[in-house]
Amino acid sequence: MAAMDLFGRRWALRILWELRAGPLGARALLARCEGLSSSVLYQRLRELTSSGIVSPSADGYELTRLGTALGHALRPLDEWATTWAQEQEQEHEHNDQEPTET
């Protein structure tokens, strides 16, 4: 449950997702995560670093071996979320096309 508590914290998964392609500095992370404050970013980075999922690097922050494995585990969730979003959009479009009764 400790992992779920960590990943359930606001912005934690988003930060991990943004680091999946390689190291990023704090400014780049803030730019990619619109609405994320610098104080929350640094708090999450401390938590993810102390958990062994993220490590500081010369280029900013990067996923560790465990973080990379987690990234692979998140891909099916991303695929599911994409399918879900498409179905929600189709349902919304279908509802918009139905005639309304007066």
Side-chain angles (χ1 to χ4, degrees), residues 74-89:
L74 291 175
R75 282 197 177 92
L77 179 60
D78 180 55
E79 292 169 7
W80 176 88
T82 300
T83 301
W84 174 79
Q86 290 169 345
E87 289 181 10
Q88 293 294 307
E89 185 176 322

Side-chain angles (χ1 to χ4, degrees), residues 44-93:
R44 292 300 167 267
L45 288 170
R46 280 191 297 275
E47 294 165 352
L48 294 166
T49 298
S50 69
S51 299
I53 298 168
V54 170
S55 66
S57 74
D59 298 320
Y61 294 90
E62 64 185 356
L63 296 176
T64 62
R65 179 185 54 78
L66 288 173
T68 300
L70 175 61
H72 294 304
L74 291 175
R75 282 197 177 92
L77 179 60
D78 180 55
E79 292 169 7
W80 176 88
T82 300
T83 301
W84 174 79
Q86 290 169 345
E87 289 181 10
Q88 293 294 307
E89 185 176 322
Q90 289 172 355
E91 183 176 317
H92 181 72
E93 288 173 0

